[in-house]
Amino acid sequence: VKLEGACVILSTASPYKFSKHVLSALGKEAFEDEFENVKLLSHLTDTVIPSPLAKLATATVYHKDVVDINQMADYVLDKIGG
């Protein structure tokens, strides 16, 4: 593909989605709790936490199952009645 003229490339990735790694890159120690990492990142960068991510801290958790990758196929089959 050959582009002519100006080209703008955008990304929807937010540093808040990867707060643990961003804090590490900034030389800061991250918390185990991702919501604490987001708060710290906001404080350090003087930026506002994106609303959809901020709302996750108080959102209802509907899916609580944690399944080992080796058990995933059986888990899915069980859920779909297979």
Side-chain angles (χ1 to χ4, degrees), residues 15-36:
Y16 285 99
K17 291 181 181 178
F18 311 98
S19 58
K20 181 177 182 179
H21 299 289
V22 173
L23 289 170
S24 176
L26 294 173
K28 302 296 181 183
E29 190 166 338
F31 296 98
E32 288 294 319
D33 183 333
E34 285 295 334
F35 296 114
E36 291 301 318

Side-chain angles (χ1 to χ4, degrees), residues 2 19 28-30 32-33 46 54 56 61 65 71 78 82:
K2 183 179 179 189
S19 58
K28 302 296 181 183
E29 190 166 338
E32 288 294 319
D33 183 333
D46 196 27
L56 287 176
V61 177
D65 295 347
Q71 302 298 317
D78 181 58

Side-chain angles (χ1 to χ4, degrees), residues 9 12 18 23-25 33 46 48 52-53 60 62 71 76 80-81:
I9 298 175
T12 59
F18 311 98
L23 289 170
S24 176
D33 183 333
D46 196 27
V48 177
L53 292 177
T60 301
Y62 293 102
Q71 302 298 317
V76 171
I80 62 173

Side-chain angles (χ1 to χ4, degrees), residues 40-70:
L40 178 57
L41 183 59
S42 175
H43 174 74
L44 292 173
T45 61
D46 196 27
T47 57
V48 177
I49 301 168
S51 177
L53 292 177
K55 289 178 183 176
L56 287 176
T58 58
T60 301
V61 177
Y62 293 102
H63 306 285
K64 299 178 183 179
D65 295 347
V66 177
V67 181
D68 184 84
I69 193 166
N70 297 324

